[in-house]
Every structure is written in structure tokens, then in C-alpha cells.
Amino acid sequence: MKKLTELCLYDAREGLLNKDFTSKELVLDHIAVMESSRSLNAFITETPEIAIKSAENSDSRLNKGTNRDLEGIPIGVKDMFCTKGVLTTASSKMLSNFIPPYESTVTNNLWNEGAILLGKLNNDEFAMGSSNETSFYGPVINPWKGNNNEQNLVPGGSSGGSSASVAANISLGALGTDTGGSIRQPASFTGTVGLKPTYGRCSRWGIIAFASSLDQAGPITRNVRDNAILLKNMCSHDPKDTTSSSKKIPNFEESIGNSVKGLKVGIPNEFFQEGMSNEIIDIWDKGKEWLKKSGAEIIDISLPNTKYALPCYYIIAPAEASSNLARYDGVRFGHSVNSSDINEMYRATRSEGFGDEVKRRIMIGTYVLSSGYYDAYYLKAQKVRSLITEDYNKVFNSVDVILTPSTPNSAFGLNEKSDDPLSMYLNDIFTVPVNLAGLPAISVPAGLDSNGLPLGLQLIGKPFEEETIYSFAKVIEDSANFKNIENQWWVQ
Amino acid sequence: MNNLLRGNTGDWEIVIGIEVHAQIISNSKLFSGSSTSFGADHNTQVSFVDAGMPGMLPVINSVCVEQAIKTGLGLNAKINNFSIFDRKNYFYPDLPQGYQISQFEQPIVGNGMITIDLDDGESKNIGIERLHLEQDAGKSLHDQHPSYSFVDLNRSGVALMEIVSMPDMRSPEEAQAYVKKLRNIMKYLQTCDGNMEEGSLRADINVSVRKPGDDLGTRCEIKNVNSIKFIGQAIDYEAKRQINLIEKGDLIEQQTRLFDPKKGQTRSMRSKEDSHDYRYFPDPDLLPLTFTNEFVDEIKKTLPELPDIRKKRFIDDYDLSSYDSNILVSEKETADYFEAAAENSNPKLVCNWVIGELFSVLNKINKTIEDCPIKAEDLGELINLIDNETITGRIAKDVFEIMLNTGESPVSIVDANNMKQVNDLNEIESVIDKIIEKNPDQVNALSEKPNLIGWFVGQVMKETQGKANPKTVNEILGKKLLKKG
Amino acid sequence: MSVDKDNVVKIAKLSKISFKDDEIEKFQEDLNQIIDWVDQLSEVNTETVSPTFSSFDNDKGMKKREDIINDGNYREDITVNAPNSEEGFFLVPKVID
């Protein structure tokens, strides 16, 4: 029999229903792996007591037949989600002592369906980063390594703990948040499946805000079906979030295996980057071939404003962040530095509490909103954003889904880009436009590069058509026949 | 009316614009479900949203939107079917989010106009620039500890309307009349209770001075003035301060000032260390606020009669003077009281009693018309007793006094104390005859001093404990005494 | 350099973040690199374009709450994380207007 941690979420659920094992057994195995995998630094807070207690409760429900959709399934939660009574840090010194007296809507939905919290996952500080290196709790290490190379690689970011924990079989699935690619890029770097739902699909209530108009919660899993199962249980219409959709929530799992025959796939020529590696182009071509073989029609499309998406994002996201992070003032929660002068207290608290990347974004955001610059930067960016959205609206009149690479490269080395913010930002070049337009998109592992590192393909869908994305993603998954990492070098 | 102030270098004109912050009457806050009621224990009416906790989101209160539209309609203003909530960013201990959700470039209500009524009976139109919705801040208490301020967030997030006037006022009196009128309109609309003591209505006053005909001078803003009286005092002080400075050859520095009621002076606020740069931008947690014309029309249908219309009706229907009507409608409660009293009674008499007797008594016992011990219906009844000659005017004052102290109805007071007017001719005549008989000297002196007739009236009233019908007394006395002269 | 040092100091002040002198220079450098890069947006013609207010598209307009009291009354939860509180108040260094 397979080790229980090698099961995917779907199989684990089947196993529990068939009484092949108990939830407690499943959870204990995961706790053991969590503990033996600490060298990856994927978790900030481990919650074994909560997990075991919940598992016992799940087992009793499974026995009584009152089990719910995710009964007894252990998952990890990015430390951006507020969890009642459990330390929630946003991977920042600023919140290194914050224990929320409330539970985020998304996690609450999952607990209500029987899912079990294994622990809180590391991420870039306040979700600002693409490598998980900005965390106050130190970087997360990618379970993947290059061929014949001992160098530690980043797991991507900001949901680096989420992607690493799923790739390393520590959790059956994990929650991430995606503001500019923070689910899809780490999924691509770790050979996992990561979906950013349509803006409004998941409630943002109780998720520590980075950039409100872009943030969206989503699942990271080892396969497409698991992803659909997790997403269904995350979504709800939340009256506490003005931007939460009241649209009906489909049973996403049912779209897995649906034929894509006759559907149209757009290939945006603007995504061909100068200097783009052949390996990325190859994997993209493969993706087209697979979809074509499955009966989908490949169509060249144009998204003319694509090149402006990244600069546009790096105005809007920091602007919103600069305001969202103003509440960290040392008065009501979090890190605080005493002073006899209120302004001195603010400055000392925030200078000590925030790391460099967060400070950088607050500074950029403050700058682009400040008097004299607002029109040239912030307002301009929101207008360009309209053009970008318009590009997608137009294209979606003629295609059902758009296929692109997820990232311009595979996982890079630790500290390789951390001194150069701009080159780090360029990592999000393919993922960012999707957030600006509020669209759903997934990254599915499609193969390995010559260095033996995973590469993902991105599928972008129409608003609230995650089902179509899942149907296509399943085709890629089946065609790519991607194998998860086998050498568990990190286990101690 | 000449509003100019005399300085050493000639006449000066004061230019005043006012921003009123009016707390909206609603059960819960603008963006959260916690209570708005005044006086609760500190930090109890606070939700995670109001405390700016991580991950919290605003959801707008539909009633607050309706109240803003209603007020806009009451100010004869343009209602904007599309408006935007912006964040106004600054750090302050009573501002938990680090920003205030407000409306900047696209407010819910645009240009409007109200008419103010001045003491000399004149009226003047004051332009409204805009009305927008925003959150109130919390409160810092400075007197609890030598080195700390204590922060209470009960008020944090309560809905405010900021109503901005055009710089149309030219004297402290006009400014006071403007705020009074605005308050009155909102009380009629029941969109703000207008209670300045509890802070439900606060005024920021922009004052500048200029020589008549010159361009606008540099203005100073006096923050958070919280009574009508202080508004007058603050403007008066501030205008004179500015004139003095300019006449000394100094320049006015644009600044924010506070009014100190104890000294009757304004002073510069301890200057904030930052130059103000609020970095307004649309709140990404909210969507544009939109509604249809039909929605506005529905609200329009629910508008009550507003003071200007009511005044006109008082003049037309009750035949009251413009001056009296103005006094009655200038407080909604007074007008309501008047109408309740006049419903089955003589409106003109009621009006005289309300403005005269009632006002002076309330003033004396320091009560408002809302907690007046005399019910409006009872006052109407009392006036009916005078009107149908059941009691004399003089007795009425006694009855009124008893009503005030006991709260009993006038009819039962009159009955119990045998206070009915004596109308019987014979009875009065016999009293008069007795008085004439007893006072021959006075009768004789009458031919020299015809005014003595008043003395006889007084004697009759004394003899009848004020109950004799005064008209009858005058008639009989006239017949019996004056023809002899 | 589009962002000069005075500008960086002003922004830091508005952001309530303080920097040491050598940090300021580094941030100024980063900021300039980023601002110069985002400046490419100026080449886009947006004359007739309205800005995006939200990527959330709700044809029924903004969702609104009913005016009911259904929150609050948990002072302990509000102040439990406060670094400095007393008798249910948040304490801050004395502020005088």
C-alpha cells in the first residue's frame, strides 16, 4: 500500500469513505511528514493538536455517516488567512504576535465541510514577492532541485509554503492567495496545480489584504481534480464582502473529463517575449499540440496591451497596498515600539515591523498616489487597466480559453534575484494581466526543462468559467503525464 | 443690511463658507453592523471592521444612502446616480484603518441651495456645493493619564454627511442662521438629530476678510465648532483677528484653527507634522454607488413638509404673520406643538400663547418644547376656554400656571377651583353698585381724572377674584359712571 | 533620476517609515528604477478611456446591507491583541491638537 501522504486528495477521500484508513491515521502520517520536512521551512505554525482533535471528530462523523464533503482531509493554509485562535502573521514581523479572534470566510467554509488544518504556511511578507524570500520567517525551499545540482531553489511566491508543502506531500492541498500570480507561479515552480479563481468567486473577508482589487484566494493541489474539489468548498457568496459574487457555485469536479472538442483556444502572440527560452516555447507548443489532438481549435489572437500589464500592476498593487497596510500602526494589534511621541511610535513600529520589499511597495504606492503624481501614475494605470480588460473581453468573443506559459522560466536559485526588485517583478509577466482583468486562470504542470525542473502552462478563462478551465487543464494533465518529485532529499 | 466691519483702514467684508458634519440617523454604522447609539460604554459598539482589523471589509448600509439622498432633496440639490467612495489616507490614533472612507471627486449629492431667514425678516439664498457620505472617526480622551491618550472607537465608522456650502455668508448672524436652517431641515427630514452637544452636528467654518469688491482673501478654517453661539463668537473673533493682522501689514497664513469657548478666541492647531497629502483614491473594497432615477423618485415621495413650505402654509391657512410663522417653523418641534394645539382651537391665539407665555415659561424652567410639561392638546383646550368666554384671560394665566405644575387638564382645573368667568349682568352690576356706594370720593374725582375708571375695573376684578367678564364690567362701569361726567 | 532625495524623504514621512541615510539612497535608487520603468505607460493613449474602479462586475450595482445591528459588543476581542491597553481602551502616546 502507498504511504498515506502519497495519496492525492481525491484518493484520500475515497479511502476514508471506504474505511481503508481513518482520518486520524491520515492526519498523523501528514503530521509526521510535516515534522520531518521542516528543512523546507514551509510552515510558520504547525497545529498538530487541532489536526488530531479534528480528525477524531471526522472519524466519528465518518462512522455515523454524517460526513461532509471534505471530511477528515488535512490541508495547509497560507498565513494570509486569518484563523481564529491560531497565530496569523502574513509572514511579517509586524504580525508576529497576532492571534485573530475571527476566522476567514474561506477557511470557515472548509472547516464546515470537514477539512482539517495542519498548519499555517509560509509566504512572502504580506504576499509581496515571487520567491518566498521576503518572509520574516525565512525562505521556503523548493523540494525540486536541478539535475546534478545541490543548489537550493525558490518555490516561487508569494504562496511558496503552499506550493512546497503540496509538492512535498506534506498536505493534500493548500490554500494560496494570488494578487499577480502568487498561486500560479509557485505552482509552476513546484510542479503543482494552482488556480486563481475569478475575482469575486471566493470571499476576501478575513484574508489579510495586499491589493484589494486584485487579491483572490485559490487552491494549490497535486492534480486538477483535487483542485476542483477544494475550490468548490472554498467558494460562497459572502454578504460581508461587497465584491463577493452571488453567482451560483457549480460542482467544478463534474467538469473534469469533459471533452474540449470543438472549443477554441487562443494563443496570444504578445506573450512571445524577446529572449524567451526555447524550452518555454517548446512546452507551449506541446500544449497546443495536446489540445489540438483533443479536438480543440487553436487560434492566434492578439492582446495588444499585454506589455503594459506589468507596469500597470506595479502601480495599482503598491498603491492599494500602501493604504491597506496603513492600519499596521502599533495601536490595536501587532508589533509596536513604545515612544512618547505618536508619530515617532508610528515610524519606529513600521520601520521595524515591515521588511524591505514591503517598505518598497508602500513607498511606490504612496508616491504614485501623492499629489502631483496621481494622474500620471495611478489614474493612468487604471485607464490602461481598462484597455487590458477590454482586450480580453474582445478576444473572449471568439475563444473559450487562452493558453500561455505560466512563467518565463523555471525555479531559480535562492538569493539569485533578491537584490534586483525589477528582475523579480518580471517573473509575473504572464500571470499579472489575469489579475488586472479579474479573470480565472490555472497553472498546470506540463513537463520538465532540460535542467529537470517543472514548467507549467497557464489556461485563462472567461469570468466565472472555471469549469472550462478545468476541462482543458485535465487534458493537459493527462497528456503531459507529469510525475511528482521522487527523491525526498529533504526528509530528515 | 450692512454687514461690513469697520477697521482702521476702512470697511471690511467677511466671507464665510461652512462645512457641516451631520451624523446620519441610522441604527448601524455606515459600513458595519455595530450600533450607533450615543453614550454606550467605550469600545463596545465596535466591530472588527470598525477597529480596522486585518482582513476586514466594508459593506455599505442602505439606509445611510437613502438618508443622504433624502437630505440632498431637502437641500434642493442635484442627486448623483453614480458616485464613488474614496480613501482619504492619514495616520491618527482614532482612525483605525489609516484612512477614512469618504467621497472626493464624485459625491452622492451635487449643487443645491437653501434659504436662510434673518432676524430683520429678510431672507437670503445660500448655495450648497455638495454633500457626501463618510465615516466618523473614534475619540481620544486626553485627561485619563498623564502621558497617554485613551482611544475609544465607538464612534469609528458612524455615518456622516459632510455638507459644504458656497462661500455665500457675510456675517456671523448669517452663518448662524445657515447652520440653524440646515439643522432644522435635517430634523424635519429625520436624517440627523442635530444635537450639537452630543456631536451629531459639527461645523468647520472657513473665514476670510476682504475690502468690498476685492478678490477673496486667504482663509482660515476653524474646526469642529459645536454650538450656534460659538459659531457667532468664533467668526467674530477670527474676522477681527485677520483684519488686525492685515492692517498691521502682516499676511494671513492659511491654517486650521480651533475655537476656545472659555477664552472666546481661536488659536492655531498644533500644526500636523505632514503637509496634507491625503492621497485620495477610489476604495477598491467598494464599487461605485449607483441607483436609478426611479429610486430617487420613490424617496422624494416620502419627503415630509419642509420648513419653507410649512411657513407658507401657516401664513395661508392660519392667517399668521410671516414673522410669527417663521418663529414657529424654525424648530420642527415648535411647529408640531403649535399645530397639535391649534388643531381644535384658535390658531392666532395659540400662536400668541406659544410664542409669548409658553416660550417665556420654558425659558424660565430651562426646558425645551420637546419636554414641555403642558400637552399641546391641553394648551388648545385652555385657549378654547378663553375663546368661548368660559374663563377670563387673567384667570387663564393662573390656569396655565397650575397646568405647568400639575399637568392637569384646564377644564378640571377650572372646575375644581371654581374659576369660571362671571357673565351674569345682575351679579356684576350688584358688585359694581356696592363699590360705587363705598367709594364716593373716587366717584367724585372721576370728572377730573377719567383714568380712575381703571381703578374701578381693578376693584371689580378683585371682588370677583378676576372672574368677571371684563367686557361686561367695562360696559356697566361706563354706563354708570362716565355719563355722570 | 525622476525621484529626488527630498521626494523620498517626503514619501517616507507620509508612509510613516523612517530610513537611515544609506537606506534612503538605496530606496531612492530602487524607486527610480521602478518609476522609470512604469513610466512606459505614458506612451499609451488613454484620452477617451475611463478608469477601472473594480474588476468585479455586478450588474445589480453595489451590494448593500440592511440597517440592522448585528455586530459589535465584544470589547475583549477588539482589544485582546492591543500592545498597550487599559480598562478596555487603546493607549497611545498623548496627542494634543
Side-chain angles (χ1 to χ4, degrees), chain A residues 19 57-67:
Chain A
K19 310 256 189 315
N57 179 43
S58 284
D59 283 331
S60 117
R61 277 182 172 262
L62 282 157
N63 285 332
K64 277 188 276 184
T66 55
N67 48 299

Side-chain angles (χ1 to χ4, degrees), chain A residues 97-101 199-200 213 237-239 241-247 305 307-308 310-312 314-315 330-334 336 338-343 345-347 350-351 354 356 359-360 362-364 366-368 370-371 373 377 379-387 389 419-422 425-426 435-438 464, chain C residues 2-4 7-19 23-24 26-65 71 74 76-85 89-96:
Chain A
N97 56 2
F98 178 59
I99 298 177
Y199 186 79
S213 75
H237 168 59
D238 187 357
D241 176 1
T242 304
T243 61
S244 152
S245 169
S246 53
K247 284 203 167 62
N305 291 291
K307 73 179 251 205
Y308 301 114
L310 208 50
C312 182
Y314 274 97
I315 291 171
V331 176
R332 282 147 293 112
F333 41 78
S336 185
N338 238 324
S339 167
S340 58
D341 175 77
I342 184 77
N343 283 305
M345 173 189 148
Y346 288 149
R347 277 194 294 266
R350 291 166 63 80
S351 302
F354 292 137
D356 278 355
K359 287 180 194 169
R360 197 154 29 233
I362 291 175
M363 294 283 284
I364 299 168
T366 304
Y367 179 76
V368 298
S370 66
S371 121
Y373 301 99
Y377 292 108
L379 189 63
K380 182 80 184 183
Q382 289 291 25
K383 288 179 176 177
V384 174
R385 183 181 186 177
S386 300
L387 292 175
T389 307
D419 282 343
D420 183 357
L422 202 52
Y425 296 173
L426 291 170
N435 296 77
L436 289 171
F464 298 102
Chain C
S2 44
V3 190
D4 62 25
N7 230 323
V8 178
V9 171
K10 186 196 131 192
I11 299 161
K13 226 171 175 184
L14 283 171
S15 310
K16 298 281 186 240
I17 295 175
S18 55
F19 294 104
E23 282 181 315
I24 289 242
K26 172 80 179 93
F27 265 91
Q28 186 184 351
E29 217 174 280
D30 289 351
L31 234 56
N32 270 300
Q33 198 195 1
I34 295 160
I35 292 296
D36 289 347
W37 170 66
V38 300
D39 255 336
Q40 60 182 294
L41 290 192
S42 61
E43 69 194 50
V44 188
N45 182 353
T46 51
E47 234 168 84
T48 56
V49 184
S50 11
T52 298
F53 290 109
S54 172
S55 57
F56 183 71
D57 186 19
N58 187 358
D59 27 309
K60 281 172 254 153
M62 178 161 61
K63 186 161 63 186
K64 300 182 187 77
R65 296 177 33 245
D71 209 346
Y74 40 77
E76 177 57 26
D77 282 345
I78 292 293
T79 53
V80 67
N81 276 288
N84 198 356
S85 73
F89 285 102
F90 301 103
L91 266 58
V92 296
K94 191 153 258 184
V95 193
I96 301 150

